Amino acid sequence: AQSVTQLDSQVPVFEEAPVELRCNYSSSVSVYLFWYVQYPNQGLQLLLKYLSGSTLVKGINGFEAEFNKSQTSFHLRKPSVHISDTAEYFCAVIPLSGSARQLTFGSGTQLTVLP
Amino acid sequence: DAGVIQSPRHEVTEMGQEVTLRCKPISGHNSLFWYRQTMMRGLELLIYFNNNVPIDDSGMPEDRFSAKMPNASFSTLKIQPSEPRDSAVYFCASSSTSGASYEQYFGPGTRLTVT
């Protein structure tokens, strides 16, 4: 089984400041990793994903994430945030093998960008 | 592609009434997922289908909940009878198992209020 821990439930940050949203996972098998974003009153939208290759993954809206296998982490970063980045962010994993091919989500991090 | 389509977008009903939520997955996707999102419990997987067959319904809260997928382009989630604690946003998502990553695409959700 897999589990995902998002260490911060709420992250307030000022506009144009950098931000890091933390995600750690636990799994007995290799996994693919995802970050989804949910804007108010909308569904979840894929931000970026790590499948293989370079551990630094770039996504939409200037976000990037780095996969660290030894630390089982997949932290999300943005060097300069905008008001429009205010949303909830979910980290998720899916196993590469086995019969349970559904996503396991973290509990989410609410990013609030302040003017 | 129109993406995952859900209807209705909002539903207000009285306790004891039957509620049916509908989902049309992305054409060509063969996996479909129903999620429930609340402030208290976050994002919960209720059930998922692979090739129209229910694979895991362990997340369905109780017998009042049922889900069907009569064909590859349509699924329903039914609550009968509904209770105030069923109030939540219900998301449908679809994915393709022929791809490498199994990433899921979410619909806009149905906001259910049971009074």
Side-chain angles (χ1 to χ4, degrees):
Chain A
Q2 293 74 43
S3 68
V4 178
T5 302
Q6 292 183 242
L7 298 163
D8 306 297
S9 59
Q10 309 235 4
V11 174
V13 62
F14 286 107
E15 192 174 17
E16 297 184 5
V19 70
E20 178 180 82
L21 306 184
R22 296 180 293 168
C23 172
N24 287 87
Y25 70 93
S26 173
S27 176
S28 56
V29 300
S30 295
V31 295
Y32 293 137
L33 300 112
F34 304 84
W35 275 98
Y36 281 84
V37 59
Q38 184 179 27
Y39 298 105
N41 299 313
Q42 294 187 27
L44 279 70
Q45 176 184 355
L46 184 67
L47 201 56
L48 50 77
K49 60 187 178 185
Y50 174 78
L51 307 182
S52 63
S54 172
T55 57
L56 183 63
V57 180
K58 293 191 184 297
I60 62 172
N61 302 338
F63 282 92
E64 63 182 30
E66 186 153 23
F67 171 55
N68 188 318
K69 188 172 183 179
S70 63
Q71 297 187 6
T72 60
S73 68
F74 190 52
H75 301 333
L76 181 70
R77 302 186 183 99
K78 186 170 183 178
S80 176
V81 294
H82 302 286
I83 297 288
S84 59
D85 293 323
T86 294
E88 186 144 24
Y89 293 79
F90 293 91
C91 182
V93 302
I94 192 167
L96 271 65
S97 60
S99 59
R101 300 308 301 271
Q102 69 263 39
L103 285 169
T104 299
F105 283 93
S107 54
T109 297
Q110 175 64 44
L111 172 65
T112 302
V113 181
L114 306 168
Chain B
D1 198 314
V4 176
I5 298 172
Q6 291 187 247
S7 64
R9 293 293 311 276
H10 302 273
E11 177 80 37
V12 181
T13 191
E14 292 183 348
M15 182 174 62
Q17 296 298 305
E18 177 180 296
V19 174
T20 299
L21 311 181
R22 297 173 176 80
C23 175
K24 177 179 169 56
I26 291 173
S27 177
H29 283 186
N30 61 339
S31 292
L32 183 139
F33 306 80
W34 282 101
Y35 292 89
R36 178 173 68 176
Q37 186 178 39
T38 61
M39 289 292 291
M40 291 295 294
R41 300 173 70 93
L43 196 62
E44 304 173 274
L45 176 66
L46 300 178
I47 184 171
Y48 84 95
F49 295 84
N50 205 34
N51 296 319
N52 311 337
V53 176
I55 302 299
D56 184 357
D57 66 354
S58 60
M60 296 285 262
E62 48 197 273
D63 292 346
R64 298 184 298 105
F65 285 70
S66 63
K68 294 183 180 179
M69 192 164 187
N71 57 63
S73 58
F74 183 66
S75 177
T76 59
L77 178 68
K78 184 178 293 186
I79 308 172
Q80 166 64 17
S82 58
E83 297 182 2
R85 60 191 168 123
D86 302 330
S87 297
V89 181
Y90 291 81
F91 290 104
C92 175
S94 70
S95 70
S96 171
T97 56
S98 63
S101 68
Y102 289 59
E103 66 185 76
Q104 294 180 20
Y105 295 80
F106 283 74
T110 295
R111 183 174 296 276
L112 173 65
T113 303
V114 183
T115 61

Coordinates of all heavy atoms in Angstrom, one line a residue, chain A residues 32 34 36 38 41-46 49 51 88 90 94 99-103 105 107, chain B residues 9 33 35 37 42-43 45 48 55-56 91 100-109 111:
Chain A
Y32 N 4.8 6.3 -9.7 CA 4.7 7.6 -10.4 C 4.2 8.6 -9.4 O 3.4 8.3 -8.5 CB 3.8 7.5 -11.6 CG 4.2 6.6 -12.7 CD1 3.3 5.7 -13.3 CD2 5.5 6.5 -13.2 CE1 3.6 4.9 -14.3 CE2 5.9 5.7 -14.2 CZ 4.9 4.9 -14.8 OH 5.3 4.1 -15.8
F34 N 2.6 12.7 -8.8 CA 1.8 13.7 -9.4 C 1.6 14.9 -8.4 O 1.5 14.7 -7.2 CB 0.4 13.2 -9.8 CG 0.5 12.0 -10.8 CD1 0.6 10.8 -10.3 CD2 0.3 12.2 -12.1 CE1 0.6 9.7 -11.1 CE2 0.4 11.1 -13.0 CZ 0.5 9.8 -12.5
Y36 N -1.5 17.8 -8.3 CA -2.7 18.4 -8.9 C -3.0 19.7 -8.1 O -2.7 19.9 -7.0 CB -3.9 17.4 -8.6 CG -4.0 16.2 -9.6 CD1 -3.2 15.1 -9.3 CD2 -4.8 16.3 -10.7 CE1 -3.3 14.0 -10.2 CE2 -4.9 15.2 -11.6 CZ -4.1 14.1 -11.3 OH -4.2 13.0 -12.2
Q38 N -6.3 22.5 -7.3 CA -7.7 22.7 -7.3 C -8.0 24.1 -7.0 O -7.8 24.6 -5.9 CB -8.4 21.8 -6.3 CG -9.9 21.9 -6.4 CD -10.6 20.9 -5.4 OE1 -10.0 20.6 -4.3 NE2 -11.8 20.6 -5.7
N41 N -13.9 26.0 -6.3 CA -15.1 25.6 -7.0 C -14.8 24.9 -8.3 O -15.7 25.0 -9.2 CB -16.1 26.8 -7.2 CG -16.5 27.4 -5.8 OD1 -16.9 26.7 -4.9 ND2 -16.4 28.7 -5.7
Q42 N -13.7 24.3 -8.4 CA -13.3 23.6 -9.6 C -12.9 22.2 -9.3 O -12.6 21.9 -8.1 CB -12.3 24.4 -10.4 CG -12.7 25.7 -11.0 CD -11.7 26.3 -11.9 OE1 -10.9 25.6 -12.5 NE2 -11.7 27.6 -11.9
G43 N -12.7 21.4 -10.4 CA -12.1 20.1 -10.2 C -10.6 20.1 -10.1 O -10.0 21.2 -10.2
L44 N -10.0 19.0 -9.9 CA -8.6 18.9 -9.9 C -8.0 18.9 -11.3 O -8.5 18.3 -12.2 CB -8.1 17.6 -9.1 CG -8.1 17.7 -7.6 CD1 -9.6 17.7 -7.1 CD2 -7.3 16.5 -7.0
Q45 N -6.8 19.6 -11.4 CA -6.2 19.7 -12.7 C -4.7 19.3 -12.5 O -4.1 19.7 -11.5 CB -6.2 21.2 -13.1 CG -5.5 21.6 -14.4 CD -5.6 23.0 -14.7 OE1 -6.2 23.8 -14.0 NE2 -4.9 23.5 -15.7
L46 N -4.2 18.5 -13.4 CA -2.8 18.1 -13.3 C -1.9 19.2 -13.5 O -1.9 20.0 -14.5 CB -2.6 17.0 -14.4 CG -1.2 16.4 -14.3 CD1 -1.0 15.5 -13.0 CD2 -0.9 15.5 -15.5
K49 N 3.9 15.9 -13.4 CA 4.1 14.5 -13.0 C 5.5 14.0 -13.2 O 6.3 14.6 -14.1 CB 3.2 13.6 -13.9 CG 3.5 13.7 -15.4 CD 2.4 12.9 -16.2 CE 2.7 13.1 -17.7 NZ 1.6 12.5 -18.5
L51 N 7.5 10.5 -14.0 CA 7.4 9.1 -14.4 C 8.8 8.5 -14.4 O 8.9 7.4 -13.8 CB 6.8 9.0 -15.8 CG 5.5 9.7 -16.1 CD1 5.0 9.5 -17.5 CD2 4.5 9.3 -15.1
E88 N -5.8 25.0 -3.7 CA -5.4 23.8 -2.9 C -4.5 22.9 -3.8 O -4.9 22.7 -5.0 CB -6.5 23.1 -2.3 CG -6.1 21.9 -1.4 CD -7.1 21.8 -0.2 OE1 -8.3 22.2 -0.4 OE2 -6.7 21.2 0.8
F90 N -2.6 19.2 -4.3 CA -2.6 17.8 -3.8 C -1.4 17.0 -4.5 O -1.3 17.1 -5.7 CB -3.9 17.1 -4.2 CG -5.1 17.6 -3.5 CD1 -5.9 18.6 -4.1 CD2 -5.5 17.0 -2.3 CE1 -7.0 19.1 -3.4 CE2 -6.7 17.5 -1.7 CZ -7.4 18.5 -2.2
I94 N 0.9 6.7 -7.7 CA 0.3 5.5 -8.2 C 1.4 4.5 -8.4 O 2.5 4.8 -8.9 CB -0.5 5.8 -9.5 CG1 -1.4 4.6 -9.9 CG2 0.5 6.1 -10.7 CD1 -2.3 5.0 -11.0
S99 N -2.0 -4.8 -8.7 CA -3.4 -4.7 -9.2 C -4.1 -3.4 -8.8 O -5.1 -3.0 -9.5 CB -4.2 -5.8 -8.7 OG -4.3 -5.8 -7.2
A100 N -3.6 -2.7 -7.8 CA -4.3 -1.5 -7.3 C -3.7 -0.3 -8.1 O -2.8 0.4 -7.6 CB -4.2 -1.3 -5.8
R101 N -4.3 0.1 -9.2 CA -3.7 1.1 -10.0 C -4.5 2.4 -9.9 O -4.7 3.1 -10.8 CB -3.6 0.7 -11.5 CG -2.8 -0.5 -11.8 CD -1.4 -0.4 -11.2 NE -0.7 0.7 -11.7 CZ 0.1 0.7 -12.9 NH1 0.2 -0.4 -13.6 NH2 0.7 1.7 -13.2
Q102 N -4.9 2.7 -8.6 CA -5.5 4.0 -8.4 C -4.6 4.9 -7.7 O -3.7 4.5 -7.0 CB -6.9 3.8 -7.7 CG -6.7 3.4 -6.2 CD -6.9 2.0 -6.0 OE1 -6.4 1.2 -6.8 NE2 -7.5 1.6 -4.9
L103 N -4.9 6.2 -7.8 CA -4.1 7.3 -7.2 C -4.3 7.2 -5.6 O -5.5 7.0 -5.2 CB -4.5 8.6 -7.7 CG -4.0 9.0 -9.1 CD1 -4.6 10.3 -9.5 CD2 -2.5 9.2 -9.1
F105 N -3.9 10.0 -2.7 CA -3.7 11.4 -2.6 C -3.3 11.8 -1.2 O -3.6 11.1 -0.2 CB -5.1 12.2 -2.8 CG -5.4 12.3 -4.3 CD1 -6.2 11.3 -4.9 CD2 -5.0 13.4 -5.0 CE1 -6.6 11.5 -6.2 CE2 -5.3 13.5 -6.4 CZ -6.1 12.5 -7.0
S107 N -3.4 14.9 1.8 CA -4.6 15.6 2.4 C -4.7 17.0 1.8 O -5.7 17.7 2.2 CB -4.5 15.6 3.9 OG -3.2 16.2 4.3
Chain B
R9 N -24.4 20.0 -11.9 CA -23.3 20.7 -11.2 C -23.6 21.0 -9.8 O -22.8 21.0 -8.9 CB -22.9 22.0 -11.9 CG -22.3 21.8 -13.3 CD -21.0 21.1 -13.3 NE -20.1 21.8 -12.3 CZ -19.3 22.8 -12.5 NH1 -19.3 23.4 -13.7 NH2 -18.5 23.3 -11.6
F33 N -13.4 6.8 -12.0 CA -13.3 6.9 -10.6 C -14.4 7.8 -10.1 O -14.6 8.9 -10.7 CB -11.9 7.4 -10.2 CG -10.8 6.6 -10.8 CD1 -10.4 6.8 -12.1 CD2 -10.1 5.7 -10.0 CE1 -9.3 6.1 -12.7 CE2 -9.1 4.9 -10.6 CZ -8.7 5.2 -11.9
Y35 N -15.1 10.1 -6.6 CA -14.5 10.6 -5.4 C -15.5 11.5 -4.7 O -16.4 12.0 -5.3 CB -13.3 11.5 -5.7 CG -12.1 10.8 -6.2 CD1 -11.9 10.7 -7.6 CD2 -11.1 10.3 -5.4 CE1 -10.8 10.0 -8.1 CE2 -9.9 9.7 -5.9 CZ -9.8 9.6 -7.2 OH -8.6 9.0 -7.8
Q37 N -15.5 14.7 -1.8 CA -14.6 15.7 -1.1 C -15.4 16.5 -0.1 O -16.4 17.1 -0.4 CB -14.0 16.6 -2.1 CG -12.9 17.6 -1.5 CD -12.3 18.5 -2.5 OE1 -12.9 19.0 -3.4 NE2 -10.9 18.7 -2.3
G42 N -11.6 15.3 3.5 CA -10.7 15.5 2.3 C -11.3 14.8 1.1 O -12.5 14.6 1.0
L43 N -10.4 14.3 0.3 CA -10.7 13.6 -1.0 C -10.7 12.1 -0.7 O -9.7 11.6 -0.4 CB -9.7 14.0 -2.0 CG -10.0 13.8 -3.5 CD1 -11.2 14.6 -3.9 CD2 -8.8 14.1 -4.3
L45 N -11.7 8.2 -2.3 CA -12.1 7.4 -3.4 C -13.2 6.5 -3.0 O -13.1 5.8 -2.0 CB -10.9 6.5 -3.9 CG -11.2 5.6 -5.0 CD1 -11.6 6.3 -6.3 CD2 -10.0 4.6 -5.3
Y48 N -14.0 2.5 -8.2 CA -13.5 2.7 -9.5 C -13.8 1.5 -10.4 O -13.9 0.4 -9.9 CB -12.0 3.1 -9.5 CG -11.0 2.0 -9.5 CD1 -10.4 1.5 -10.6 CD2 -10.5 1.6 -8.2 CE1 -9.4 0.6 -10.5 CE2 -9.5 0.7 -8.2 CZ -9.0 0.1 -9.3 OH -8.0 -0.8 -9.2
I55 N -14.0 -2.5 -9.8 CA -12.8 -3.1 -9.3 C -12.6 -3.0 -7.8 O -12.3 -4.0 -7.2 CB -11.5 -2.6 -10.0 CG1 -11.6 -2.7 -11.5 CG2 -10.3 -3.2 -9.5 CD1 -11.7 -4.1 -12.1
D56 N -12.9 -1.9 -7.3 CA -12.7 -1.6 -5.9 C -13.8 -0.7 -5.4 O -13.8 0.5 -5.8 CB -11.3 -1.1 -5.6 CG -11.1 -0.9 -4.1 OD1 -12.0 -1.2 -3.3 OD2 -9.9 -0.5 -3.8
F91 N -16.7 14.1 -7.3 CA -16.0 14.2 -8.5 C -15.9 12.8 -9.2 O -15.8 11.8 -8.6 CB -14.5 14.6 -8.2 CG -14.4 16.0 -7.8 CD1 -14.2 16.3 -6.4 CD2 -14.5 17.1 -8.7 CE1 -14.0 17.6 -6.0 CE2 -14.4 18.4 -8.2 CZ -14.2 18.7 -6.9
A100 N 1.2 5.4 -20.2 CA 2.2 5.0 -19.3 C 2.0 5.4 -17.9 O 2.5 4.7 -17.0 CB 3.6 5.5 -19.8
S101 N 1.2 6.4 -17.7 CA 1.2 7.0 -16.4 C -0.1 6.8 -15.6 O -0.1 7.1 -14.4 CB 1.5 8.5 -16.5 OG 0.4 9.2 -17.1
Y102 N -1.1 6.5 -16.3 CA -2.4 6.3 -15.6 C -2.9 7.6 -14.9 O -3.7 7.6 -14.0 CB -2.4 5.2 -14.5 CG -2.2 3.8 -15.0 CD1 -1.2 3.4 -15.9 CD2 -3.1 2.8 -14.7 CE1 -1.0 2.1 -16.3 CE2 -3.0 1.5 -15.2 CZ -2.0 1.2 -16.0 OH -1.9 -0.1 -16.5
E103 N -2.5 8.7 -15.5 CA -2.9 10.0 -14.8 C -4.4 10.1 -15.0 O -5.0 9.7 -16.0 CB -2.2 11.2 -15.4 CG -2.5 11.5 -16.9 CD -1.6 12.6 -17.4 OE1 -0.4 12.4 -17.6 OE2 -2.2 13.7 -17.5
Q104 N -5.1 10.7 -14.0 CA -6.5 10.9 -14.0 C -6.9 12.3 -14.4 O -6.3 13.3 -14.0 CB -7.1 10.5 -12.7 CG -6.9 9.1 -12.3 CD -7.4 8.7 -10.9 OE1 -8.3 9.4 -10.4 NE2 -7.0 7.6 -10.4
Y105 N -8.0 12.4 -15.1 CA -8.6 13.7 -15.5 C -9.9 13.8 -14.8 O -10.8 13.0 -14.9 CB -8.8 13.7 -17.0 CG -7.5 13.6 -17.8 CD1 -6.8 12.4 -18.0 CD2 -6.9 14.8 -18.3 CE1 -5.6 12.4 -18.7 CE2 -5.7 14.7 -19.0 CZ -5.1 13.5 -19.2 OH -3.9 13.5 -19.9
F106 N -10.1 14.9 -14.1 CA -11.2 15.2 -13.3 C -12.3 16.0 -13.9 O -12.0 16.9 -14.7 CB -10.8 15.8 -11.9 CG -10.1 14.9 -11.0 CD1 -8.8 14.5 -11.2 CD2 -10.8 14.5 -9.9 CE1 -8.2 13.6 -10.3 CE2 -10.2 13.6 -8.9 CZ -8.9 13.2 -9.1
G107 N -13.5 15.7 -13.6 CA -14.6 16.5 -14.0 C -14.8 17.7 -13.0 O -14.0 17.8 -12.0
P108 N -15.7 18.6 -13.3 CA -15.9 19.8 -12.5 C -16.5 19.6 -11.1 O -16.5 20.4 -10.3 CB -16.7 20.7 -13.3 CG -17.5 19.8 -14.2 CD -16.6 18.6 -14.4
G109 N -17.1 18.4 -11.0 CA -17.8 18.0 -9.7 C -19.2 18.4 -9.7 O -19.7 19.2 -10.4
R111 N -21.8 19.5 -6.7 CA -22.0 19.9 -5.3 C -23.4 19.5 -4.8 O -24.4 20.0 -5.2 CB -21.8 21.4 -5.1 CG -21.9 21.9 -3.7 CD -21.5 23.4 -3.6 NE -20.2 23.7 -4.0 CZ -19.1 23.5 -3.2 NH1 -19.2 23.1 -1.9 NH2 -17.9 23.8 -3.6

